[in-house]
Amino acid sequence: MRQTQSVLIYSLLMAGVVLLSNILVQYPVSGTLYGISLADLLTWGAFTYPLAFLVNDLTNRQFGPSAARKVVIAGFVVGVAFSFYASVPRIAIASGTAFLVGQLLDISVFNRLRRQTWWKAPLAGSLLGSVLDTVLFFSISFAAIFAFIGPNDEFALGTAPLLGVFALEAPRWISWALGDLSVKLAFSLIMLLPYAALISWLRPMRTVNG
């Protein structure tokens, strides 16, 4: 009963994070950093989305990968449903695919490293999961090769200076992906702080199911 209730709470937290991130992704971050216009690269959703990895890792640590996968499915269902409501099908497919594959990779990596030093499993899992999530989302959403899923975004495919400041030119979606990934990687480190604070309280069950 305790595990069922806890997994339900984790599922609600995951659904909340995914829903909040899908809402905040519509709002660009204003300001500049080293001459880079943040509004051209980042949305506020990039700052809340890494919480999904924290929820995933805490579930995995406490109840194992089987429970973590249930929590991920809950987030996947909520995210896809909202994305289809608020966006075009291509973006919704990209969002759902990236979330599901990235979170499942996090579960797999975390589980392999769970018996090593406390920070290795959550850090490695979230780093690798974030990279895969970002590559999948931006590629499926904007790369011309995925036009069979939906119409191409000509603005995203148009070339511009990388990150808006470098001489090298690239499709705009590449800069968007790099900006998004930089925040996710930074937060992979930051999320170790709440993880470290919670692991002494949320102790693993003696038997962890795969």
Side-chain angles (χ1 to χ4, degrees):
M1 181 63 70
R2 173 174 171 250
Q3 177 173 343
T4 300
Q5 292 175 341
S6 297
V7 171
L8 177 60
I9 292 172
Y10 279 127
S11 297
L12 292 173
L13 287 172
M14 179 67 84
V17 169
V18 172
L19 183 60
L20 179 62
S21 298
N22 275 276
I23 293 172
L24 292 180
V25 77
Q26 303 173 61
Y27 298 94
V29 176
S30 60
T32 59
L33 182 65
Y34 300 111
I36 299 174
S37 175
L38 298 180
D40 293 336
L41 301 174
L42 290 174
T43 69
W44 286 107
F47 294 86
T48 56
Y49 184 79
L51 289 169
F53 289 99
L54 176 63
V55 174
N56 191 357
D57 292 342
L58 288 173
T59 308
N60 200 347
R61 181 181 190 276
Q62 192 172 11
F63 298 112
S66 180
R69 284 190 286 268
K70 294 177 183 177
V71 171
V72 166
I73 292 300
F76 172 77
V77 171
V78 170
V80 168
F82 183 84
S83 293
F84 271 103
Y85 168 77
S87 188
V88 297
R90 180 170 175 176
I91 299 296
I93 292 171
S95 177
T97 301
F99 173 83
L100 185 61
V101 177
Q103 293 294 324
L104 291 178
L105 177 62
D106 177 40
I107 291 172
S108 177
V109 173
F110 185 100
N111 203 44
R112 287 177 178 272
L113 301 177
R114 69 165 59 247
R115 301 191 185 283
Q116 297 190 23
T117 308
W118 70 268
W119 55 268
K120 290 184 179 179
L123 182 60
S126 58
L127 285 175
L128 293 174
S130 294
V131 170
L132 184 57
D133 178 286
T134 303
V135 170
L136 287 175
F137 175 74
F138 284 94
S139 296
I140 297 174
S141 295
F142 304 116
I145 193 174
F146 288 102
F148 65 91
I149 298 177
N152 284 325
D153 184 330
E154 296 304 324
F155 181 76
L157 290 173
T159 58
L162 190 65
L163 297 178
V165 294
F166 294 103
L168 176 65
E169 294 207 345
R172 290 186 179 89
W173 70 267
I174 298 292
S175 292
W176 300 344
L178 291 175
D180 184 80
L181 181 59
S182 66
V183 172
K184 289 178 181 175
L185 296 183
F187 269 78
S188 293
L189 292 169
I190 294 172
M191 287 297 106
L192 289 177
L193 297 177
Y195 181 86
L198 290 169
I199 57 175
S200 60
W201 180 47
L202 302 173
R203 296 187 177 278
M205 294 181 62
R206 291 187 177 181
T207 301
V208 174
N209 298 318

